[in-house]
Amino acid sequence: MIERRAFDSLGGANHGWLDAKHHFSFAEYHDPKRMGWGPLRVWNDDRIAPNSGFPPHPHANMEIITYVRTGAITHKDSLGNEGRTEAGDVQVMSAGSGIRHAEFNLESEPTTLFQIWIQPNKTGGAPSWGAKPFPKGERAGKFVTLASGVEGDTDVLPIRTNGRVVAATLKAGETAEYELGADRFGYLVPATGSVEVNGVTLHARDGAAIRDEATVRVTALEDAELVLVDAA
């Protein structure tokens, strides 16, 4: 089962400095049919104006993954962590028992990103933050794991849930496969380009809610960059 969720059907809000689209119910947007997908709770498609951002605010018991599409985001938190994550890179904040953080676009151009929230397997625990560059060349033509809580995955950012965040860049005509498993929840969004996913066409920034599909087979109809969450 693959349900296409067209970009123009998403909820959202434009605050001037922040233009946000929501794949799932979030803030003032509420759709009882789109409350989450398995443990995946939030997938926001954000455009943040230059020299603006989110002032310090708290989180707890959530795995928060930020995938920067263009520009860069600068992070500061109550643990003393500070870092700048650029386009194509990813950061992970495990909120654990509680953390405060701020996220700002300090660049001279807008920043666009996906912010993904996944519920952890267990509540509590010490909060943490990390970021890592993932050069696009290493993702060319295949899925590469960016963050994972699956035993055996190495050289990735850890998350406290039985799931993965994977990404790929495909040239037009290329195909990549990901072994999802029929009992898993998958959610895939092309950041750029159009693709065909097990026969279903997705355009840039559409979502695909995937269930009962052992293998996810993606063929690029044009050059594309895509992100997939796989969760139990």
Side-chain angles (χ1 to χ4, degrees):
M1 186 283 293
I2 298 179
E3 178 194 344
R4 174 179 175 249
R5 298 180 176 180
F7 178 74
D8 60 9
S9 76
L10 303 180
N14 191 334
H15 304 282
W17 67 272
L18 171 66
D19 187 3
K21 294 293 186 180
H22 309 311
H23 285 260
F24 305 105
S25 295
F26 186 83
E28 299 302 313
Y29 166 61
H30 179 78
D31 182 342
K33 296 180 180 178
R34 295 185 179 181
M35 295 302 297
W37 192 243
L40 175 60
R41 180 61 190 83
V42 170
W43 191 309
N44 288 346
D45 183 326
D46 292 344
R47 183 182 188 273
I48 304 168
N51 300 304
S52 64
F54 303 91
H57 58 281
H59 289 284
N61 298 315
M62 193 67 69
E63 303 301 292
I64 299 175
I65 300 100
T66 303
Y67 183 89
V68 182
R69 292 168 19 230
T70 63
I73 198 77
T74 297
H75 166 100
K76 282 187 175 182
D77 65 39
S78 53
L79 300 178
N81 296 308
E82 182 173 350
R84 178 177 176 273
T85 304
E86 299 180 344
D89 297 345
V90 67
Q91 65 176 16
V92 170
M93 186 174 73
S94 290
S97 58
I99 189 171
R100 289 180 62 83
H101 78 137
E103 303 281 350
F104 281 93
N105 173 15
L106 302 180
E107 314 303 312
S108 59
E109 62 179 345
T111 288
T112 62
L113 52 82
F114 292 144
Q115 188 171 102
I116 299 164
W117 296 11
I118 306 174
Q119 294 170 330
N121 290 339
K122 295 181 180 179
T123 59
S128 65
W129 175 84
K132 193 169 184 179
F134 291 89
K136 294 182 188 299
E138 294 183 8
R139 290 204 298 269
K142 62 181 180 180
F143 283 102
V144 171
T145 303
L146 308 181
S148 176
V150 177
E151 186 175 353
D153 285 352
T154 59
D155 196 29
V156 298
L157 289 168
I159 53 177
R160 300 169 185 176
T161 192
N162 180 8
R164 292 187 180 101
V165 180
V166 302
T169 53
L170 299 176
K171 295 292 186 184
E174 285 187 328
T175 295
E177 292 188 351
Y178 181 81
E179 298 302 320
L180 181 67
D183 60 339
R184 309 280 290 185
F185 291 86
Y187 201 85
L188 184 147
V189 181
T192 60
S194 296
V195 299
E196 189 175 87
V197 183
N198 291 17
V200 176
T201 298
L202 301 179
H203 302 294
R205 298 160 76 189
D206 288 350
I210 305 168
R211 186 77 170 136
D212 296 324
E213 300 279 346
T215 302
V216 178
R217 191 172 192 268
V218 183
T219 299
L221 304 178
E222 55 192 14
D223 290 358
E225 178 178 334
L226 48 106
V227 181
L228 168 67
V229 167
D230 159 17

